Amino acid sequence: FINWATSNKTRIRKHLNLLKRMRKGAVDKLIHALHEEAFDHINCLECGNCCGSLGPRITEKDIQVLTKSLGKNEEKIKRQYLKIDEDNDLIFNSLPCPFLNTNVTCSVYHDHPRACKTYPHTDQPNQVSLLTLMLKNSSICPAVAYITKSLVEKES
């Protein structure tokens, strides 16, 4: 799916732009249904691309949760794992994620950051506002690539 999405960016962009003309609720319903369908076929534990290539935004609440989970103070968490990016957001200081295990599981799964919990965001409300992100994620996440391929094929 990712290869298809990578080689069809223009087609995907065109179809996502068409969705902007639809009612917000209709777009959510369509994408949420495709999200469910995608995750019936795709297992994140066979991939891990998100953990290997994306730097999620880390919030102060995420740091507090990691502090308890790892038994370290906030300053040590910040020093050891985080940096400030070009948007002035805190992100992990290395890729792949420092908590990604070799078997593509997360060593802090029950306490992982909110951005990780909600990725790839295709089940979130107001999908119209996330279409640009969906285009980007279609080259990273097989589930998003599946969703975008399904959207293009339904409209063709």
Side-chain angles (χ1 to χ4, degrees), residues 68-82:
K68 289 179 185 171
S69 176
L70 298 171
K72 298 179 180 182
N73 69 43
E74 287 187 27
E75 283 310 309
K76 185 156 184 154
I77 297 280
K78 288 178 182 178
R79 224 178 18 259
Q80 187 171 356
Y81 300 110
L82 305 175

Side-chain angles (χ1 to χ4, degrees), residues 38-150:
F39 282 101
D40 283 344
H41 302 289
I42 294 165
N43 179 354
C44 292
L45 293 176
E46 294 175 0
C47 179
N49 288 351
C50 53
C51 304
S53 63
L54 297 176
R57 186 171 67 90
I58 309 299
T59 66
E60 287 300 320
K61 176 138 173 84
D62 294 328
I63 295 168
Q64 292 168 1
V65 171
L66 286 171
T67 295
K68 289 179 185 171
S69 176
L70 298 171
K72 298 179 180 182
N73 69 43
E74 287 187 27
E75 283 310 309
K76 185 156 184 154
I77 297 280
K78 288 178 182 178
R79 224 178 18 259
Q80 187 171 356
Y81 300 110
L82 305 175
K83 69 178 182 180
I84 296 176
D85 72 1
E86 64 277 357
D87 297 323
N88 212 30
D89 290 326
L90 281 172
I91 61 170
F92 290 127
N93 60 13
S94 65
L95 290 173
C97 172
F99 302 111
L100 180 64
N101 297 319
T102 56
N103 65 352
V104 194
T105 59
C106 175
S107 64
V108 293
Y109 181 76
H110 296 289
D111 298 312
H112 62 296
R114 184 178 189 283
C116 301
K117 287 179 174 128
T118 60
Y119 189 83
H121 316 296
T122 50
D123 62 344
Q124 301 297 301
N126 196 11
Q127 284 295 303
V128 170
S129 70
L130 299 171
L131 294 175
T132 301
L133 184 59
M134 182 183 290
L135 179 65
K136 176 187 174 197
N137 287 338
S138 68
S139 296
I140 298 165
C141 176
V144 178
Y146 178 99
I147 291 167
T148 56
K149 187 173 193 282
S150 298

